[in-house]
Amino acid sequence: MKNNYKVSNKLAVLFIIACLSVGRSQSKDEVQIKKMYDLALTEGKGYDWLNYLSNQIGGRLSGSVQAQQAVDYTKAQLDSLGVDKVWLQPVMVPKWVRGTPEFAYFETTPGSTTNVAICALGGSVATPSTGVKAKIIEVDGIEQLSTLGKDQIEGKIVFFNRPMDATQINTFTAYSGCVDQRYAGALEASKYGALGVIVRSMNLRLDNYPHTGSMSYGDQPESERIPAAAISTNGAELLSTSLKLNPDINFYFKQNCKLFKDVESYNVIAEIKGSEKPDEIIVVGGHLDSWDLGDGSHDDGAGCVQSMEVLNLFKKTGYKPKRTVRVVLFMNEENGLRGGNKYAEVAISKNERHIFALESDSGGFTPRGFTFDSSQEDFEKVLAWKNLFKPYLVHYFEKGFAGADIGPLKKDGMVMAGLRPDSQRYFDHHHAENDTFEHVNRRELQLGAATMASLVYLVDSNGF
Amino acid sequence: MKNNYKVSNKLAVLFIIACLSVGRSQSKDEVQIKKMYDLALTEGKGYDWLNYLSNQIGGRLSGSVQAQQAVDYTKAQLDSLGVDKVWLQPVMVPKWVRGTPEFAYFETTPGSTTNVAICALGGSVATPSTGVKAKIIEVDGIEQLSTLGKDQIEGKIVFFNRPMDATQINTFTAYSGCVDQRYAGALEASKYGALGVIVRSMNLRLDNYPHTGSMSYGDQPESERIPAAAISTNGAELLSTSLKLNPDINFYFKQNCKLFKDVESYNVIAEIKGSEKPDEIIVVGGHLDSWDLGDGSHDDGAGCVQSMEVLNLFKKTGYKPKRTVRVVLFMNEENGLRGGNKYAEVAISKNERHIFALESDSGGFTPRGFTFDSSQEDFEKVLAWKNLFKPYLVHYFEKGFAGADIGPLKKDGMVMAGLRPDSQRYFDHHHAENDTFEHVNRRELQLGAATMASLVYLVDSNGF
C-alpha cells in the first residue's frame, strides 16, 4: 500500500479533529488509560525485560539454573521500580531433565530407515539405554485403545495422531480437543501393554518442530511407566502415510530424560500497597518457568514482563492504587503448578482477601480482550468498562477459563480474568524450539501490558 | 500454558453443547459463512498461491520480468478455478529500475566514515555517477524547510527524520503522519537548493532495513530533480545522534536508479457471471505489483491471493452469486496506480454498473474488520451484518478510506470497502527487504480471505 501526499493531508486533518473532540470529553478513566497505552508503546520496559529473559537467560525449566537466574533477574528489576515490597516465596518444585537429545527413526524394510524429529514429553521416563524398537500402531485418540484392545496393542508403540481441528477460530479450543493424547496417552496405552507412545505435536502448522508439554502417569507404579515423546507434525504426516503403505513399520526411539528429587525455587512477588483499602488484594501474573526447548518468550516470558509492566505503568503515570496491587511471577506452571498452589496456600493461611486475579499466559500477541470467571453480576460490571477499550481495538469480553496459576486462588465472590491475545500463531511456537524472542513483536507485547494495566486500574478504582 | 486432561474434557462437553445449540438455530447466512471459513482454514489455496508468487517469482515491480510472470501465473491459476471468464486488461506502466545497490556513509572527520543502509525511493533520479557528498541538515518535516530557508539548506543534503507516532494504535494513521516526507520531501527541499534528501524509513521498529516507497517530483523539470533515498531507522537514529555531536558531518550517497519508457502490462481479471443480476458488478481485489526489495508477500501478494480465494470459496461451496463477482489483480499500485485508473476508465467507457468494491491491501494479518466508504444508509445496512462475523472475532466496522486501487471507481451510490487486518506488524515489513513469505501466517492469511468472501457473499445475496 502506498499513501499519497493528498491522502496524508486529509488524514492529518481528520486526526486533528478527532483529537480535539476527544480532548473535550475525555473522562478521568479515559485519560489514565490513554496515558498508560502511550507509555507502554513508547517507554515501556516489558520488551527489554523479555529480551534479557529470553536471550541472556533462555529456557527456564523448573529446577534449572536458568529458572534461578530468572528469579534473581526479575526480583532485581522489580526492586528497581521502587514499589513498596518485593519478595521471594519459597516453593518446592520438580526437577525433570531432558538429558541428551532424543533420537528416533522408523524402518520400512530392514536397513531402510527415516529419521524423524521427536522430543521427550515433560515428565516422561527414559527409554532403556538402547532405546525402544517395536511395531507402531496409529490411533486417533485414547478412546480407540479399548476398541483395539491388548491383542493389537501389546508389545507395540502407540502413535497418537489426532490433529488439532483447524476450523476452530480460537486455537486454544483446538488444543483442548487434542491435549489428552499428550497428557494421558502413555498412562492409558500402558494399560494395554504398549511399550511407548509417540504423540503428534500440538501444532496447527506443518513443520519440523516437535512440541513438548506435560504428561502424567497419575499414581502408576514406576515399573509400569512407559516412555512418551512428541513427534513434529511433518514427522507425524510422514509416519502416518508410511504406515498406510506398510503397517509393519518398526519405530525406534531413545531418550534419557530423568526426574530428580524436588528442589527449592521461588515465586517472585512485588506489590504496591493500597492507599485506601490495603487489605483488598489484586493479583496480576504470569509464569516464570518455561519449557527447555526454546527460550519461553511467548510461554510465558510475555505474561511475566506484561505483569511487571503493570506496576511500572502505575509508577510512571503516578497512579497510586487504592487497593494493594501485587504482581506474582509463578514458578512451575508447566510441570506441576506448584507455584500457583503455594501462592494460594499462603494467601489462605494468612487470611488474605483477594478480590481480583488476572493472568497472562496465552502469548505476547495483539490483545483482543479477556475471559472472566466470575458471577454474572460482576461480569456485567466489567462489561460496562468495555467501551473504554474500544480505541485500543480490545473487543473480546466473554465468560470463560481465566488461568491455571490463579486457579487455586479462586473462591466465591472473587473475579478471575485471563488476557486473550490473538491466538492464531500461538501454537506455531508453543513448547517448541521456536518459542523465541524474535517471534514477539514489541508493539503487540506492549499493547497487551497496557490492556492489562487498564483493567487492573479499573478494578482498583471501582472495586467489585 | 499447559492444559490438563480434566480441563480438556470439560471443554469438550462445552463444545458439544455449543455445536448442538448452534445447529438448531443457524441461518442460511451463518451456514454459508461457516462453510467458507472452514474451507479457507483447511483446503484454501491462497497460502500456496502466495508461496509461489513470493518464492518462485519474488518482487514484482511494474514493468519487470517478475511482474509479467505474476500476470501469467495468476491468470493460469484463475483459469484453473473454472470460473466464467478470465482475461488480461492491457495497461501502460512506468518502468523504474533500482540498478546497482545503493551505497551511503557519513563522515564525522575526514577519513572516519560510518556506512549506513539506504535504498533509493521509487521514482527517484540517480545521483551523479560519483555520488553526492555534502553537509547534511536534519529536519522534522517539510514545514521546517521554510523556517531554515535557502541560507541553511542550499548545497546540503536534507535529512527528514520525523518518526512515525508510536502511540497511534492504527499504524496506518502513524504512516499517514509521516509519508509526506517521503513522497514530497525531494520536491520541496529542491526548492531551497538542496542537493539530495535522505528520509527516515516509515517503520515503527528500530532495525537495519531501509524501506522504499513512492515519491514524486510533480511536474518539476528533470534538470531540477534531486535524488532521494530512505535510511533505515537504526541508521536514522545513529545519524541524528552523530549530528548532535557534530553538525558538520558530511554525508555521501550514490544510487543509479533509472526511469525507462512506459511498457505494457496487465490487470488480471476473472469473474463469475451473476445468475440473477449479471449487470450488477462486485469487485474484489488487491495489487499484483510490489516493490523490488522483498518478495511483496504482505504488500500485496496477500491481497491478491485472498481475492482469488473468494472465487475459489464460492466455487468450492457451490455458491452461485446472483450478481457478477469479479476479481481484479491491479497492476502498478505502488508507483503509478495505472491499473486502478485503467480499470475504472474501461468500466466507465463500457457503462458497467459497479455496486460494491472491496480491496485488501494492508497485509495478510489476522482480519479485524473493514472500513467502508459509503452513504450512511448503506453503512447501516452493512452494520446489520456485523453479528455474523462475531464467531470469527471480526469486530471492526467503521467508516473510512477503502483502498487506492478501487478509488478511481468510486461514485455516488456505490459502496467501497477495505479489509482491515491487525496493523501492528505491517510497517515492520512494508516496502522493505523483509516483506517475505515467512512473515505471513497461513491461518491469518486464510482468515482474511474467508472474511472477504463472507462480506462479498452478503453483499451479493442482499444487494444494496
Side-chain angles (χ1 to χ4, degrees):
Chain A
M1 178 174 176
K2 72 167 182 182
N3 215 321
N4 67 27
Y5 196 23
K6 270 191 212 154
V7 168
S8 148
N9 281 344
K10 211 189 282 177
L11 280 172
V13 170
L14 286 174
F15 175 64
I16 290 164
I17 293 170
C19 289
L20 291 173
S21 61
V22 167
R24 274 199 299 278
S25 62
Q26 265 190 338
S27 70
K28 200 187 79 195
D29 289 344
E30 284 172 314
V31 170
Q32 174 63 21
I33 289 172
K34 171 98 173 79
K35 263 193 215 166
M36 294 194 292
Y37 272 97
D38 284 359
L39 269 172
L41 287 168
T42 52
E43 299 168 36
K45 295 185 169 185
Y47 187 72
D48 295 332
W49 284 329
L50 186 62
N51 186 3
Y52 192 96
L53 271 181
S54 299
N55 290 321
Q56 300 301 314
I57 296 177
R60 304 169 292 282
L61 192 53
S62 290
S64 66
V65 171
Q66 291 85 348
Q68 184 56 44
Q69 288 173 333
V71 166
D72 296 340
Y73 172 70
T74 51
K75 179 175 183 304
Q77 292 302 313
L78 287 164
D79 274 329
S80 76
L81 296 180
V83 295
D84 297 318
K85 195 176 163 194
V86 183
W87 71 101
L88 301 183
Q89 182 175 66
V91 54
M92 297 302 290
V93 297
K95 181 181 170 70
W96 178 86
V97 172
R98 183 171 302 281
T100 52
E102 304 83 343
F103 177 68
Y105 63 79
F106 63 86
E107 196 177 58
T108 38
T109 53
S112 163
T113 63
T114 303
N115 291 0
V116 284
I118 65 156
C119 67
L121 293 182
S124 173
V125 295
T127 57
S129 61
T130 52
V132 173
K133 186 172 181 179
K135 298 277 183 252
I136 185 161
I137 181 165
E138 179 177 338
V139 298
D140 72 355
I142 287 171
E143 305 69 24
Q144 210 187 328
L145 297 174
S146 62
T147 316
L148 293 170
K150 214 164 187 172
D151 268 11
Q152 290 184 67
I153 295 172
E154 192 159 36
K156 291 183 186 160
I157 294 167
V158 173
F159 169 34
F160 289 97
N161 194 30
R162 184 168 77 256
M164 288 173 78
D165 176 3
T167 68
Q168 296 298 329
I169 304 301
N170 181 342
T171 60
F172 286 87
T173 310
Y175 180 62
S176 297
C178 277
V179 72
D180 61 332
Q181 301 175 100
R182 188 193 79 203
Y183 192 76
L187 173 62
E188 297 301 327
S190 68
K191 296 176 184 169
Y192 297 90
L195 300 182
V197 303
I198 298 294
V199 183
R200 181 190 182 98
S201 286
M202 309 285 126
N203 179 7
L204 281 153
R205 193 166 70 169
L206 291 176
D207 65 29
N208 297 320
Y209 297 111
H211 293 225
T212 189
S214 62
M215 53 86 68
S216 170
Y217 295 109
D219 52 8
Q220 189 174 43
E222 280 185 36
S223 61
E224 295 171 18
R225 298 178 180 190
I226 62 172
I231 186 169
S232 74
T233 46
N234 274 341
E237 291 289 304
L238 182 63
L239 179 57
S240 181
T241 305
S242 304
L243 277 167
K244 282 183 185 68
L245 298 171
N246 175 8
D248 286 332
I249 281 174
N250 278 309
F251 193 92
Y252 171 85
F253 75 119
K254 176 168 159 30
Q255 56 193 29
N256 73 341
C257 40
K258 191 173 169 187
L259 187 64
F260 291 85
K261 267 194 234 166
D262 287 358
V263 297
E264 190 175 64
S265 186
Y266 306 93
N267 292 328
V268 181
I269 310 180
E271 71 179 22
I272 303 179
K273 205 84 184 163
S275 60
E276 292 179 18
K277 300 187 175 184
D279 294 342
E280 292 193 9
I281 300 170
I282 291 170
V283 159
V284 52
H287 65 86
L288 197 49
D289 65 305
S290 77
W291 283 106
D292 54 333
L293 296 173
D295 63 31
S297 283
H298 278 297
D299 187 10
D300 181 31
C304 290
V305 301
Q306 287 173 325
S307 299
M308 294 163 69
E309 188 81 271
V310 171
L311 293 191
N312 184 42
L313 294 174
F314 281 4
K315 293 296 283 185
K316 277 274 174 62
T317 56
Y319 178 70
K320 293 187 201 321
K322 297 180 192 172
R323 294 164 170 85
T324 293
V325 175
R326 193 179 276 176
V327 165
V328 185
L329 310 180
F330 297 95
M331 184 51 69
N332 184 230
E333 191 267 354
E334 293 295 3
N335 55 339
L337 207 69
R338 301 279 186 88
N341 286 323
K342 173 60 76 177
Y343 181 80
E345 180 194 314
V346 172
I348 290 162
S349 77
K350 289 189 172 175
N351 217 6
E352 288 180 343
R353 185 170 167 223
H354 286 74
I355 66 155
F356 178 63
L358 169 62
E359 183 164 324
S360 169
D361 185 15
S362 303
F365 305 98
T366 299
R368 305 294 297 267
F370 301 97
T371 41
F372 296 93
D373 183 356
S374 73
S375 70
Q376 185 60 26
E377 193 190 331
D378 285 332
F379 181 57
E380 276 159 23
K381 190 155 190 181
V382 165
L383 282 182
W385 303 330
K386 191 174 163 182
N387 261 338
L388 289 164
F389 290 89
K390 204 180 169 193
Y392 310 100
L393 305 181
V394 169
H395 64 104
Y396 185 84
F397 281 55
E398 301 290 338
K399 289 194 125 186
F401 176 71
D405 275 310
I406 58 175
L409 263 183
K410 186 178 168 180
K411 61 178 202 174
D412 283 351
M414 198 180 151
V415 177
M416 323 287 289
L419 181 72
R420 294 293 154 238
D422 195 287
S423 75
Q424 298 312 318
R425 286 172 284 146
Y426 187 67
F427 291 97
D428 293 358
H429 304 284
H430 183 243
H431 296 179
E433 190 184 317
N434 64 332
D435 180 3
T436 47
F437 185 69
E438 71 266 29
H439 297 295
V440 177
N441 177 274
R442 185 183 182 281
R443 290 180 58 86
E444 294 184 354
L445 179 79
Q446 294 293 127
L447 284 171
T451 302
M452 292 166 69
S454 299
L455 182 63
V456 171
Y457 159 78
L458 289 166
V459 170
D460 176 62
S461 53
N462 293 282
F464 278 114
Chain B
M1 177 172 179
K2 71 167 183 180
N3 216 320
N4 67 27
Y5 196 23
K6 270 191 210 155
V7 168
S8 148
N9 281 343
K10 212 188 281 178
L11 280 172
V13 170
L14 286 173
F15 175 65
I16 290 162
I17 293 169
C19 289
L20 291 173
S21 61
V22 166
R24 275 200 300 277
S25 63
Q26 265 190 338
S27 69
K28 198 187 82 195
D29 289 344
E30 285 173 311
V31 170
Q32 173 64 21
I33 289 172
K34 171 98 172 80
K35 263 193 215 165
M36 293 195 291
Y37 273 97
D38 284 359
L39 268 173
L41 288 168
T42 51
E43 299 167 38
K45 295 185 170 185
Y47 187 72
D48 295 332
W49 284 328
L50 186 62
N51 185 4
Y52 193 96
L53 271 181
S54 300
N55 290 322
Q56 300 302 315
I57 297 176
R60 304 169 292 280
L61 192 53
S62 290
S64 66
V65 171
Q66 291 85 348
Q68 184 56 43
Q69 288 173 334
V71 166
D72 296 339
Y73 172 70
T74 51
K75 180 175 183 303
Q77 292 302 312
L78 286 164
D79 274 330
S80 77
L81 295 181
V83 295
D84 295 321
K85 194 175 162 194
V86 183
W87 72 100
L88 301 183
Q89 182 174 66
V91 55
M92 296 303 289
V93 297
K95 180 181 170 71
W96 178 85
V97 172
R98 184 171 302 281
T100 52
E102 304 83 344
F103 177 67
Y105 62 80
F106 63 85
E107 195 178 58
T108 40
T109 54
S112 164
T113 62
T114 304
N115 292 0
V116 283
I118 65 155
C119 67
L121 293 182
S124 174
V125 296
T127 58
S129 62
T130 53
V132 173
K133 187 172 180 178
K135 298 277 181 253
I136 184 161
I137 181 163
E138 178 177 339
V139 298
D140 73 353
I142 287 170
E143 305 69 23
Q144 210 187 327
L145 297 173
S146 61
T147 317
L148 293 170
K150 214 164 186 169
D151 268 11
Q152 290 184 68
I153 295 173
E154 193 159 36
K156 290 182 186 158
I157 293 166
V158 173
F159 169 33
F160 289 97
N161 194 30
R162 185 169 77 258
M164 287 173 79
D165 176 2
T167 69
Q168 296 299 329
I169 304 300
N170 181 341
T171 61
F172 285 87
T173 310
Y175 179 62
S176 297
C178 277
V179 73
D180 62 331
Q181 303 176 98
R182 188 193 78 203
Y183 192 75
L187 173 63
E188 297 302 326
S190 68
K191 296 176 184 169
Y192 298 90
L195 300 182
V197 304
I198 298 293
V199 183
R200 181 190 182 97
S201 287
M202 309 285 127
N203 178 6
L204 282 153
R205 193 166 72 169
L206 291 175
D207 65 29
N208 297 321
Y209 298 110
H211 293 224
T212 191
S214 62
M215 52 86 68
S216 170
Y217 295 108
D219 52 9
Q220 190 174 41
E222 278 185 38
S223 61
E224 294 171 19
R225 297 179 178 188
I226 61 172
I231 186 169
S232 74
T233 47
N234 274 341
E237 292 288 304
L238 182 63
L239 179 57
S240 181
T241 304
S242 303
L243 278 167
K244 282 183 186 70
L245 298 171
N246 176 8
D248 287 331
I249 281 173
N250 277 309
F251 192 93
Y252 172 86
F253 75 117
K254 177 169 159 30
Q255 57 192 29
N256 73 342
C257 39
K258 191 174 170 187
L259 187 64
F260 291 85
K261 268 194 231 163
D262 287 358
V263 297
E264 190 174 65
S265 186
Y266 306 93
N267 291 328
V268 180
I269 310 179
E271 71 178 24
I272 303 178
K273 205 84 184 163
S275 59
E276 292 178 18
K277 301 186 174 184
D279 295 342
E280 292 193 9
I281 300 171
I282 291 171
V283 159
V284 52
H287 65 85
L288 198 48
D289 65 306
S290 78
W291 283 107
D292 54 333
L293 297 172
D295 64 31
S297 283
H298 277 297
D299 187 11
D300 182 30
C304 290
V305 302
Q306 287 173 326
S307 299
M308 293 163 69
E309 187 81 272
V310 171
L311 294 190
N312 185 42
L313 294 175
F314 281 5
K315 294 295 283 186
K316 276 275 174 62
T317 56
Y319 178 70
K320 293 187 201 318
K322 296 180 193 171
R323 294 165 171 85
T324 294
V325 175
R326 193 180 276 176
V327 165
V328 185
L329 310 181
F330 296 95
M331 184 50 70
N332 185 231
E333 191 267 353
E334 293 295 2
N335 55 338
L337 207 70
R338 301 279 186 87
N341 285 323
K342 173 60 75 178
Y343 181 80
E345 180 194 313
V346 172
I348 290 162
S349 77
K350 290 189 171 174
N351 217 6
E352 287 181 343
R353 184 168 167 225
H354 286 73
I355 66 156
F356 179 62
L358 169 61
E359 182 164 325
S360 169
D361 185 15
S362 303
F365 305 98
T366 298
R368 304 295 296 267
F370 302 97
T371 41
F372 296 93
D373 183 356
S374 73
S375 70
Q376 186 59 27
E377 192 191 333
D378 285 332
F379 181 57
E380 276 159 24
K381 190 154 191 182
V382 165
L383 282 182
W385 303 331
K386 191 174 161 181
N387 261 338
L388 289 165
F389 291 88
K390 205 181 168 193
Y392 310 101
L393 305 181
V394 169
H395 63 105
Y396 184 84
F397 281 55
E398 300 289 339
K399 287 194 125 184
F401 175 71
D405 275 309
I406 58 175
L409 263 184
K410 187 180 167 178
K411 61 178 201 173
D412 283 351
M414 197 179 152
V415 177
M416 322 286 288
L419 181 71
R420 295 293 153 237
D422 195 286
S423 75
Q424 299 312 318
R425 286 172 283 146
Y426 187 66
F427 291 97
D428 293 358
H429 305 283
H430 182 243
H431 296 179
E433 190 184 317
N434 63 333
D435 180 3
T436 47
F437 185 69
E438 70 267 30
H439 297 294
V440 177
N441 176 275
R442 184 182 182 282
R443 290 179 59 85
E444 294 184 355
L445 179 80
Q446 294 294 127
L447 284 171
T451 302
M452 292 167 69
S454 299
L455 182 63
V456 171
Y457 158 78
L458 288 166
V459 170
D460 176 62
S461 53
N462 292 282
F464 277 114

